[in-house]
């Protein structure tokens, strides 16, 4: 037997004796993969937001564009909110109200403000896909959520400019979809719970198509966000995610 063959066999034997935990994913590995699976070069989608509370039920519709990890634009298309826009780019978020021709910038805790009176916040709708820039991660273990084997992770904010100081998330071990999330203050007071109710497959990835959000600071209130259509990796105008385009 030649020396190269003997060397190869010894190497394979050594690899077989290395404990499997040395190859286990870290919390950071899970988060990177989670962000990667939720990010496309570009995307265009339409959807609706339905909120039920003590005042009744309200439905709003929107169209959204996204590019990479941080650029997103949402324009509401329902009659009452038509023309209202949300722009997130370069870690800044702007609101535009066409009737008043008013442009507002939000940051930090203001990102937790409600969108159109729903249980959704501006952070929920425009969350950037660069989680490790803002959070440290601890992999807590595994749990099953609605029949899906999930990693359980706790994320703690590195800086005060994030909307949620603490997040606990359940990430599917196969698809890296976040099936459930709990958002809390730094003092561990529960602010909000998110749960994915149904999914859609595109480009070999699993994405949420219906999500339920409950703001724990409100009584008898819940919001469902539904994805009606989605196109990915499509051409977008170069100036789409600019302040000039926002106010046009």
């Amino acid at each position: 037997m030649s020396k190269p063959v003997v060397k190869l066999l010894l190497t394979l034997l050594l690899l077989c004796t290395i404990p499997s935990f040395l190859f286990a994913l870290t919390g950071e590995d899970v988060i990177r993969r989670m962000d990667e699976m939720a990010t496309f070069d570009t995307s265009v989608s339409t959807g609706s937001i339905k909120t039920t509370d003590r005042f009744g039920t309200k439905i709003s519709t929107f169209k959204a564009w996204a590019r990479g990890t941080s650029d997103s634009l949402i324009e509401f298309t329902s009659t009452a909110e038509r023309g209202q826009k949300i722009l997130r780019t370069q870690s800044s978020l702007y609101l535009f109200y066409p009737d008043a021709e008013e442009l507002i910038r939000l940051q930090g805790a203001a990102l937790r403000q409600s969108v159109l009176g729903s249980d959704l916040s501006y952070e929920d709708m425009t969350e950037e896909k660069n989680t490790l820039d803002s959070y440290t991660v601890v992999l807590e273990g595994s749990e099953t959520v609605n029949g899906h084997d999930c990693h359980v992770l706790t994320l703690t904010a590195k800086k005060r400019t994030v909307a949620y100081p603490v997040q606990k998330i359940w990430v599917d071990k196969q698809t890296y979809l976040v099936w459930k999330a709990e958002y809390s203050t730094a003092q561990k007071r529960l602010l909000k719970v998110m749960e994915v109710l149904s999914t859609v497959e595109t480009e070999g990835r699993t994405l949420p198509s219906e999500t339920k959000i409950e703001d724990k600071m409100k009584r008898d209130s819940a919001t469902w966000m539904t994805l009606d259509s989605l196109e990915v990796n499509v051409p977008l105008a170069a100036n789409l995610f600019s302040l000039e385009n926002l106010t046009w």
Side-chain angles (χ1 to χ4, degrees):
M1 188 178 295
S2 66
K3 288 184 178 180
V5 172
V6 172
K7 186 176 180 180
L8 176 60
L9 290 175
L10 289 174
T11 301
L12 292 173
L13 179 62
L14 178 61
L15 288 173
C16 290
T17 61
I18 296 176
S20 61
F21 69 82
L22 293 179
F23 296 101
L25 289 174
T26 65
E28 288 78 9
D29 292 332
V30 175
I31 295 300
R32 289 189 190 96
R33 187 64 172 155
M34 176 194 79
D35 283 346
E36 177 185 331
M37 295 300 283
T39 304
F40 295 94
D41 290 340
T42 60
S43 67
V44 181
S45 60
T46 61
S48 63
I49 301 170
K50 182 179 76 171
T51 298
T52 300
D53 56 23
R54 58 194 178 91
F55 300 108
T57 298
K58 176 183 177 181
I59 298 177
S60 302
T61 58
F62 64 86
K63 185 173 183 178
W65 299 260
R67 180 177 62 195
T69 61
S70 58
D71 291 337
S72 61
L73 173 66
I74 298 169
E75 181 173 358
F76 290 98
T77 54
S78 40
T79 302
E81 302 84 20
R82 190 178 302 277
Q84 292 185 30
K85 299 177 184 178
I86 305 170
L87 171 67
R88 187 160 189 167
T89 185
Q90 298 176 349
S91 299
S92 295
L93 190 144
Y94 302 89
L95 312 179
F96 177 68
Y97 298 93
D99 293 341
E101 296 187 353
E102 182 180 14
L103 185 65
I104 299 172
R105 183 182 181 188
L106 296 182
Q107 55 187 344
L111 296 177
R112 293 206 303 261
Q113 292 181 10
S114 168
V115 176
L116 305 179
S118 71
D119 294 69
L120 277 166
S121 71
Y122 293 103
E123 175 71 9
D124 300 331
M125 289 201 72
T126 65
E127 182 180 11
E128 296 181 348
K129 306 301 188 298
N130 46 13
T131 307
L132 293 178
D133 289 350
S134 302
Y135 289 91
T136 59
V137 182
V138 175
L139 182 57
E140 305 285 3
S142 301
E143 289 182 15
T144 300
V145 176
N146 295 331
H148 303 279
D149 190 16
C150 296
H151 297 290
V152 184
L153 304 102
T154 297
L155 284 60
T156 304
K158 297 178 180 179
K159 46 192 176 183
R160 295 183 178 182
T161 54
V162 300
Y164 302 114
V166 178
Q167 299 185 31
K168 184 176 181 180
I169 60 176
W170 286 257
V171 181
D172 194 298
K173 291 184 179 180
Q174 298 298 319
T175 64
Y176 292 88
L177 173 74
V178 179
W179 283 102
K180 181 181 176 182
E182 296 177 349
Y183 307 107
S184 305
T185 66
Q187 293 74 36
K188 306 299 177 66
R189 182 182 184 186
L190 184 61
L191 297 170
K192 189 172 294 186
V193 175
M194 181 282 294
E195 182 180 4
V196 172
L197 303 180
S198 61
T199 61
V200 62
E201 302 285 334
T202 185
E203 298 288 318
R205 308 184 198 186
T206 302
L207 303 171
S209 58
E210 184 180 13
T211 305
K212 182 181 180 182
I213 304 96
E214 292 181 284
D215 188 333
K216 295 304 181 178
M217 300 295 101
K218 299 179 180 180
R219 294 184 59 185
D220 303 320
S221 179
T223 294
W224 291 260
M225 185 166 72
T226 302
L227 186 68
D228 295 324
S229 68
L230 174 66
E231 296 179 86
V232 299
N233 302 326
V234 294
L236 298 179
N239 69 336
L240 182 62
F241 305 98
S242 66
L243 289 179
E244 292 76 16
N245 181 68
L246 183 66
T247 56
W248 178 253

